[in-house]
Every structure is written in C-alpha cells, then in structure tokens.
Amino acid sequence: MGLNNILEIKNIISGYGTTNVINNISFGINESSILAISGRNGVGKSTLLKTIIGIVESKSGNIFFMNKNITKNRPTERSILGIGYVPQGRDIFNSLTVEENISLPAISRRMKNLKNELEKIYSVFPILKEKRNDLGGSLSGGQQQQLAIARSLIFNPKVLLLDEPSEGIQPSIVSSIAEKIHNIAIELKTAFVIVEQNISFISKLSCDCFIIDKGVISSKISSKDFSDVDKARKALSLEL
Amino acid sequence: MVLLFNIIFQVSDAISFLLLSAIGLAVIFGMMRIINLAHGEFITVGAYGTVVTAKMGLPLPMAMACGVLVTIIFGFILERLIIRYIYGRPLDSVVATWGISLIVSQSFLIIFGPSIEGLKSPLGSFQMGDYSFSEYRILLIFISFLILVLLYFLFMKSRFGTLARATIEKPITSSALGVDVQKVYTITFCIGAGLAGLTGALYIPTMTCVPSLGQAFIVSAFVSVVTAGASPFIGLVPAAAFLGSFQTGITFFYHATIGLIGLLFAVIMIIRFLPSGFSGLIKKGK
Ligand SMILES: Nc1ncnc2c1ncn2[C@@H]1O[C@H](COP(=O)(O)OP(=O)(O)OP(=O)(O)O)[C@@H](O)[C@H]1O
Ligand SMILES: [Mg+2]
C-alpha cells in the first residue's frame, strides 16, 4: 500500500441490515494492475465489489480512490470519478439496444465525440458492432458479458470491478475475454479487480489472487503459483 | 358522409380526452411506480394558472404556457419536499399524494373561492348537415396526437430517453454506471406534472373554473392507466383507443350516462380477463 495506489480499501466492514458480510478487509491496487479475488459461494465476494462501487454502504472503514476518500460518495459519483462496475449476472438493459447500453455511461457523463469512443469499443468487440441495433436482452450470455464490459470501458475508467466475468460462458470465449482484459490493462492503463472462481481464467490473467473466507482475506496467492493451471488448482483447492 | 365524419370526430374526441387525462399520470406511474392521487389537482393548478394569467391580459397560448410552467414548478417543489422520499413505496405514495390532493383542493377553495370567472372557448364552430362541430375540440385532437409523437421522441430517441428507460428497468445498476437516478426521477416527475398542467390548460376554456375541476379527469385518467397495464408507455394508446371507441359507440346508440357505465363495465372486464392490461397483451404478442 502506498500513495501510488489508485484504489485503496482500508478496514472495510459492510453487510446487509445488522449482519456483517465483510469483516474488516484492506487492500490496495496500482494503476494498470490486475487483482483476482476468489472464494467459496456466499462468502461475500460480490458484496465486496458492491461496497467499493457504493451500492452497499460500508459500516466502517474507508475507501480511497486516487487519494480521495470516497466512502461517503453515492454510486453515481463514484462511477463518474472513474470506477467501472460489471455486476454478476451482467445486468444488461433488456429494453435498450446494444449501442444504447454501451452509450449509457457516456451519456450520463455528457461525453463529447461519443461516435469515436463507440468505434474504439467496437474495434475491441466486433460482435457488438454487428449487433448494435439489437435489443440487449436478445444477446447470448457470452455476448452480454462482452457488452457489460464494453459498457464500462466506454468512459475509460481508472479501475474496473468485474464480478465473475466467466460465469456461464464457453471456454473459448473465456480465454478471449481474459486476453482482452490483459490488453486493456496494458494499453488503457486500467486497473482491474476481478472476482472469479474459474481457475484457468485466473491463471490466464497472471495476477495475484486473494482468497476470501468468513468476510476476511484468508490468504494471498501470488501470480507465480498460477503459472500453470495444475499448480493453481492445487493452491486454490487448498485454500477453498 | 356527414355521419361518418361525426363518428370519427366523436371517437377521436373521446380518445384524445382519455389520452390527455391520463398522460401525466401514466408518465409518473410508468417511470416511478408512484400512484399520484393528486393528479387531478395538478390539472387544476394548470387550469387556474392559465385562467389567472389570461385574466391578467396574456394571450391564451401564452397563458396556457404559464399554466404549464406553474404546474412544473409546483411538481418540482412537491418532488423535493415529499415525493423523493417515497420512491419504491407504492402504497405510501397513495396515502401521501392523497393527502397532497386534499390540501391543494382545500387551499384552492380558500384562496380563489368556490369558482372564478372562466374563459371563453376559443375559435368557433362549424356546421355540417345536422351537426355542429367545435373547432377547438378538433384542434385538441391534433394536439393530443402531437404530444404523443413528442413523447415518443423524448423517451425513445433522445439522450434523456435512454437515461430514463435505463432507470426504469434497473435503477441500481444505472446509478452504478454513473446515471444520476435521482435527477432523472425529478425531471420525469416534472414532465408528468407539466403534462397534467397542460391537460388543465387545454381543457379549461371548455369548462367552468372550480377548485374540483380536476376530478372531471380522474376517472378517465385512472381507467386508461389501469387498462394500459404495467407498461403504460406501451399500453396507453391502445387502451385509450379501445375505451374511447367503446364508450362513443354506446353513447351513440343510447346516451352519455349509459356510455360511462359501459366504459366502467369494459374496464372491469379488461381487468378480469386481461389482468396485465394492454401492455401485457402487446408484450405477449411479440
Ligand atoms: N441483498 C441482500 N440482502 C441480504 N443478504 C444478502 C444480499 N445479497 C447477499 N446477501 C448475503 O450475503 C452473503 C454474501 O453474498 P455475496 O453475494 O456477496 O456472495 P458471493 O461470494 O458473491 O457468492 P457467489 O460466489 O455465489 O456469487 C450471502 O450469505 C448472502 O446470502
Ligand atoms: Mg457473487
């Protein structure tokens, strides 16, 4: 942790009603780096991301983004500051076209030259250009996942929070999404926090991975241990 | 020929009355699930705003614009003070807006008295065979059509429309993507209020100006929105078209009271056999 961390979480406690799901988690992440977060079902991985974007309020602790304390900011404000969020299950707008889905964050920011930005996105996700006028709800799961990522990339976020991007997607597309994330992190200097249970997906990202259990970070696995899938599986299954 | 024209006029007149009665209510309900029992009072505000400014010497169209503006401001203040705290609580919204409705109608009674001098119906009328037609009501038919077209473009084609439709569908996700959901709600509520005010402004020259004048629109407004179903944006036009034709048909063969009874009967049948309303029917058809 240090001043150059783009996103820093300090002693966060959060949950629903009176139950705490996240019990004191701290970590930081640098510009254009990738961090994976894993753990069993229901341990609070999604809740952690929701707390960072602000959909779930933190009960104590602080969240810093670009050295600014955003703990009290609303989700809208955090998003405008430059945090992207792709929820689990993707939450595509069924009644909006593909292009409207992608444009939404840009419109809410009154971004100029939307056309240019759209072309950039379409060059990364050609399938979305083909389907630009279809309704979001008519896309397949893998296409919706790409759409959800594209929708968050349109405003060049500094940090992108991804919740289980590989869920329900065929292996070949999983690896192409992993590749795209890797390229985006390098080219656009975007940092990623990726909640993921798919081991081969994590190993393709070659990043560190935190394991969450009982609302705390129970262990950290370094990218070296993910260098091959078998090793990674071993490391994770020991932890899970 | 004259008879045909008369039928078309009567049906269109009934449909446009239903549409204009319901449009403000439909926008607010469709967008925010707020059941606005003060809808009639919004219409009253628009009507009084028009009459008062017209009496001060403004030409009628300007006075109507003032009526709409006053209603928008009125809606904005209510949204800030009360409505924004009850989003997502449909039943509470019924009680709160009912309270607002009582307060507003009594205030009108206290401030303006039981009635004020109204406006003369603008334009004239023309004769065709045995029938006489009000030119102003024909104008209203075109205006209601124009409003629908404008609303279509506002909600389907404009940037605000994209924000609004995203907010209707998934408010939390929208906010996480940077949409200022609260602002979208405020603007939409003001649009709904302004449309109700416009209804009052447009119809007041044909009515007497009393504090309870909004009540004349309430039945039409609610039956249209109820039969339109869960997505009034989709269902309102077919609902108004059906109910308007049905009511005119019965009125034509019997008389106006029976027509109104027939209308309510049709509504009960629609709720009974088509519980998701016209928008449900259209969505199923797709
Ligand atoms: N909206 C909610 N209200 C109340 N409790 C909730 C809510 N959402 C989640 N929870 C509870 O919080 C805990 C953590 O849920 P969360 O969705 O964060 O888990 P997760 O680690 O993302 O699981 P998965 O791997 O299945 O996605 C669970 O026990 C869940 O029941
Ligand atoms: Mg989850």
Side-chain angles (χ1 to χ4, degrees), chain B residues 73-94:
Chain B
I73 295 168
F74 178 69
F76 178 78
I77 294 170
L78 280 184
E79 205 274 346
R80 275 295 153 103
L81 293 181
I82 300 166
I83 305 293
R84 68 167 43 187
Y85 302 102
I86 54 175
Y87 290 133
R89 291 154 60 185
L91 291 178
D92 295 349
S93 79
V94 171

Side-chain angles (χ1 to χ4, degrees), chain B residues 118-132:
Chain B
L119 302 172
K120 285 194 203 65
S121 181
L123 307 177
S125 61
F126 61 92
Q127 199 78 20
M128 229 178 166
D130 294 339
Y131 302 98
S132 145

Side-chain angles (χ1 to χ4, degrees), chain A residues 41-42 44-47 50 88 163-164 167 195 197:
Chain A
N41 289 126
K45 305 180 296 297
S46 296
T47 305
K50 286 178 186 169
Q88 187 169 15
D163 201 345
E164 310 230 7
E167 197 177 51
V195 165
Q197 298 189 334

Side-chain angles (χ1 to χ4, degrees), chain B residues 91-165:
Chain B
L91 291 178
D92 295 349
S93 79
V94 171
V95 179
T97 54
W98 186 48
I100 294 171
S101 131
L102 293 178
I103 294 169
V104 173
S105 60
Q106 290 309 308
S107 309
F108 268 92
L109 192 59
I110 293 166
I111 299 169
F112 294 101
S115 77
I116 61 173
E117 192 194 339
L119 302 172
K120 285 194 203 65
S121 181
L123 307 177
S125 61
F126 61 92
Q127 199 78 20
M128 229 178 166
D130 294 339
Y131 302 98
S132 145
F133 298 96
S134 154
E135 287 165 1
Y136 185 62
R137 293 201 73 112
I138 290 178
L139 181 65
L140 285 184
I141 293 170
F142 285 104
I143 290 177
S144 66
F145 178 74
L146 187 69
I147 291 172
L148 285 181
V149 173
L150 287 177
L151 281 181
Y152 173 82
F153 277 98
L154 178 64
F155 280 101
M156 299 307 291
K157 300 288 171 202
S158 77
R159 290 184 151 213
F160 172 74
T162 306
L163 297 179
R165 280 178 294 133

Side-chain angles (χ1 to χ4, degrees), chain A residues 140-155:
Chain A
S140 76
Q143 293 165 347
Q144 289 196 1
Q145 190 63 59
Q146 301 191 40
L147 176 55
I149 296 173
R151 182 175 67 180
S152 281
L153 283 176
I154 186 87
F155 62 93

Side-chain angles (χ1 to χ4, degrees), chain A residues 53 55 74-76 79-80 83 85 87 90-97 100 104-111 114 151-152 155, chain B residues 155-183 187 286:
Chain A
I53 190 67
I55 297 173
R74 293 181 296 136
T76 306
S79 171
I80 302 273
I83 304 181
Y85 173 57
R90 309 177 268 269
D91 279 356
I92 293 304
F93 297 97
N94 298 316
S95 59
L96 268 56
T97 65
E100 284 172 336
L104 185 72
I107 294 174
S108 65
R109 286 165 173 74
R110 302 169 194 280
M111 269 168 60
L114 177 56
R151 182 175 67 180
S152 281
F155 62 93
Chain B
F155 280 101
M156 299 307 291
K157 300 288 171 202
S158 77
R159 290 184 151 213
F160 172 74
T162 306
L163 297 179
R165 280 178 294 133
T167 304
I168 300 180
E169 193 182 319
K170 297 191 167 85
I172 294 174
T173 306
S174 300
S175 75
L177 291 169
V179 179
D180 192 340
V181 169
Q182 183 59 62
K183 198 161 141 196
I187 294 173
K286 264 186 194 167

